[in-house]
Amino acid sequence: MKINVAMAQMKPRKGDYAANLQRLGDLFEQLEEDAPDTQVLVLPETALTGYFLQGGVRDVALPRERFFADLLRTYRDRVSRPDAALDICIGFYELDDGKYYNSALYATLTACDPETEAALPPNVPAPPTAAGIRHVHRKFFLPTYGVFDEKRFVSRGRNIDAFTSRFGTVAVLICEDVWHSITATIAALKGAQVLYILSASPGREFSGHHLGNVTRWNVLLPGIADEHNIWVVYAGLVGFEGGKGFTGSSQVIDPWGNTRVVGPVIEECLVRATIDLEDVATARAASPLLADLEAALGDVMMELEEVVRNRR
Amino acid sequence: MNRLPMVCAPPFDPDSDENLRVNEPLLTEWLVAFLRDEIIRRRGFRKAVLGISGGVDSSLVAFLLARALGPENVHGFRMPYRTSSRESLEHAALVAEVTGIHMHTIDITEAVDGYLRFAPDADDRRRGNVMARMRMIVLFDQSQRLGTLPVGTGNKTERLFGYFTWHADDSPPVNPLGDLFKTQVWALARYVGVPEVIVNKPASADLIVGQTDESDFGISYPKADRILFYLLRGYTVARLVEMGFAEHEVALVKKRLDSTHWKRHLPTTAMLSTTAINEYYLRPVDY
C-alpha cells in the first residue's frame, strides 16, 4: 500500500485558535488544488495554539470531540469535491474529565456527512470512508526541565498504542516521547508500521553544523526507523514564541533509516512524500531486529521487572 | 613485547575557546528570523530603533536589523554626552555608512546636566546611570515618534556580570544578543561584516573617559566567558580550579554572577494571594 503524506510546518498565532483553524482551512484548500492525492496530513504538536502557553493551556484546551468537530467543519467548508477525504494527525491541548493533556488526534475527515452522501446523485462519487476519530495519543513523557515546564500545566498520558487506520497499522508519539527509545520500541512491538511524530522542538546550541536539537533528532529518527524497520513521519513546529524558535525540519525516514525528504529549519512549508508499506517487510527480511526482540521479549521483561523491583 | 598503539583523548585546555565557537551562518540566519518574527509578525511593527554607541554589540545588532527589516527601516541613534569619545561617534557613523541604516544624533548633555545640577555630589557611577537612563528616555520617545520598536543590544556576559544600568540598557522589549557571550558577539560581528576597527577595539561603556569593560571587571572577556560557560552548566568553583582555571579568576567571576541575580529579574513584588502575577498567574510574554 502506498500512502501520500504531507507534513505542514506552520507558525501558529499564539493562543489564537480561531485564526489558526482558519489557516488550516487555507491549507485544506491548497491541498485540494495543489496536491489532491494527499491521503494523510500531519501537523506538529500544539499546531493550532502554539506550545509555550503556561496557564493559557486552560484557555485553549478542548475536548477531543469538539476539536474533531471543528476540524471536520473547517474541512467541509473549504473543500469542494464531494468524495474528498483526508486523514489528519495533529497536536492539540486536550481537556478530558477535568484534566489537561498535550495530545495528538488522528482522525478521518470527509467532505460530506452520511445524509448529504445519501442525497448525492448516482453519478457523483461519495467519500471512500466515514469521518471519525481513530485515535488520541496523550504525551507520555512530559519534559519539565530547563525551558520546559509541561508537568506543571498538563497531565501525562498512560498509554502507547498502535491502531488500525485506513492506511495501515500506525502509532503516534509526541516530541520527548521519542527521546526515550523504549516508546518507539513499544509502538513497533504493537504492530505500528508507520510512526507519526509530532513535535515542538525549540532550537538551542549553535556550535555545530546543525542546531544542537536538530542534530539530536537527526540521530534519533533514522535510528528508530532503522532499528524497527518502520516508516517515521515527523512534523515540527516553526516560528518563535517569546524568543524561543522551533526548528521545523519535518521529514520522512524510510524503514532502512534513510531520510527521504526534510523541510527547512526556519520557514513554513508543506513537505510531501509517498511511503510504501511494502518496504517494511522488505527491510525486516534483511534485518529482523524486531523479530529478535519479540523472541527475547520474555527475558527482556524479566530484566525490566528486576529493575523495577530493585528500585523499590 | 608487541605494544598496541595508543589513542588518547586530549587533556582539557582551560585556554581553549572551543566551547564558545558558534556556527556563524546558521546563527545569523536564526537571529534574522527571530527579529522578523518578533518585530513584524508578533508585534506588527515594520521599523526598529536602536542606540548606536560605536561599540561591537550595537554595531552587530544594526547589521542584523538591516538584514531583517531592510536598512531603510532601521533608525540608529547616537546619543553622546559631552565626555563621550569622538571615536565612538565616528564608529557609529561608520556603521550607518556600511549598513545604510538611518542615523540620527541627539546630544544628551543638556538633559543630563540639567538634572545633575540638582545632584552636584553625584559620583561617576550615579552619573553613568543617569546617562544610561536618559538614553533610554530618548530611545523610547524617538521610537514612539517614528512608530517603531526599540531593540536592545546587551550581551550575555554583561548581563551575567550585572554590567548594565537596571531598567535602562536592558529595557528594550526585543534583544537578539542576550544569550551570546561577548566572545561570541565578536565572532558573529566579524562574520556579518562589522568593520574590524570596531570589533578589535577594547570594549567600553564610554560613561567615563578612558574606561574599558575589562579593566572594570579585572578579567578579560575570553577568560570570563570560558569560566561563565562552565559555571552556568553547574560546575563548582573547586571543579573549575581542578580543571586548570585560576582560582582568583573563578572566584571573581562567581562573585559577580552571584551578586547580580536581582538585575536579571523584574522588581520583587510582595506575594499576597494565590493569583499573584508571574507566581501563580502565569502567561508567557507573547500570549
Side-chain angles (χ1 to χ4, degrees), chain A residues 261-285:
Chain A
V261 63
V262 59
V265 171
I266 293 174
E267 294 86 11
E268 291 189 313
C269 77
L270 198 59
V271 179
R272 298 176 63 212
T274 299
I275 68 181
D276 191 335
L277 289 187
E278 279 188 27
D279 289 344
V280 172
T282 308
R284 283 178 179 170

Side-chain angles (χ1 to χ4, degrees), chain B residues 126-186:
Chain B
R126 286 176 59 194
R127 296 170 69 85
N129 283 337
V130 172
M131 289 174 215
R133 293 199 165 99
M134 181 54 64
R135 291 191 172 110
M136 280 305 121
I137 290 173
V138 172
L139 197 64
F140 274 76
D141 181 61
Q142 291 298 318
S143 174
Q144 185 86 24
R145 178 177 75 84
L146 294 164
T148 63
L149 192 74
V151 174
T153 65
N155 65 66
K156 189 172 185 173
T157 308
E158 66 186 25
R159 290 179 71 204
L160 291 169
F161 273 10
Y163 193 66
F164 59 91
T165 299
W166 199 42
H167 293 175
D169 324 25
D170 59 337
S171 50
V174 173
N175 178 355
L177 305 189
D179 199 19
L180 283 179
F181 291 109
K182 185 76 173 190
T183 45
Q184 296 171 325
V185 168
W186 282 329

Side-chain angles (χ1 to χ4, degrees), chain A residues 24-46:
Chain A
L24 179 62
D26 296 344
L27 180 60
F28 288 150
E29 268 190 46
Q30 184 190 343
L31 282 178
E32 189 176 42
E33 288 170 16
D34 300 343
D37 59 346
T38 302
Q39 292 162 310
V40 184
L41 173 64
V42 190
L43 289 105
E45 181 178 10
T46 64

Side-chain angles (χ1 to χ4, degrees), chain A residues 1-7 37-39 231 233 252-255 260-261 271-277 279:
Chain A
M1 178 191 283
K2 290 186 172 61
I3 312 165
N4 297 319
V5 297
M7 293 131 281
D37 59 346
T38 302
Q39 292 162 310
W231 284 94
V233 178
V252 171
I253 322 279
D254 72 20
R260 291 291 185 92
V261 63
V271 179
R272 298 176 63 212
T274 299
I275 68 181
D276 191 335
L277 289 187
D279 289 344

Side-chain angles (χ1 to χ4, degrees), chain A residues 11-12 14 59 206 208 240, chain B residues 23 37 41 282-283 286-287:
Chain A
K11 299 177 179 180
K14 188 76 166 265
D59 303 339
F206 283 80
F240 284 82
Chain B
N23 178 335
D37 249 29
R41 182 170 159 267
L282 299 169
R283 293 295 183 277
D286 57 339
Y287 189 64

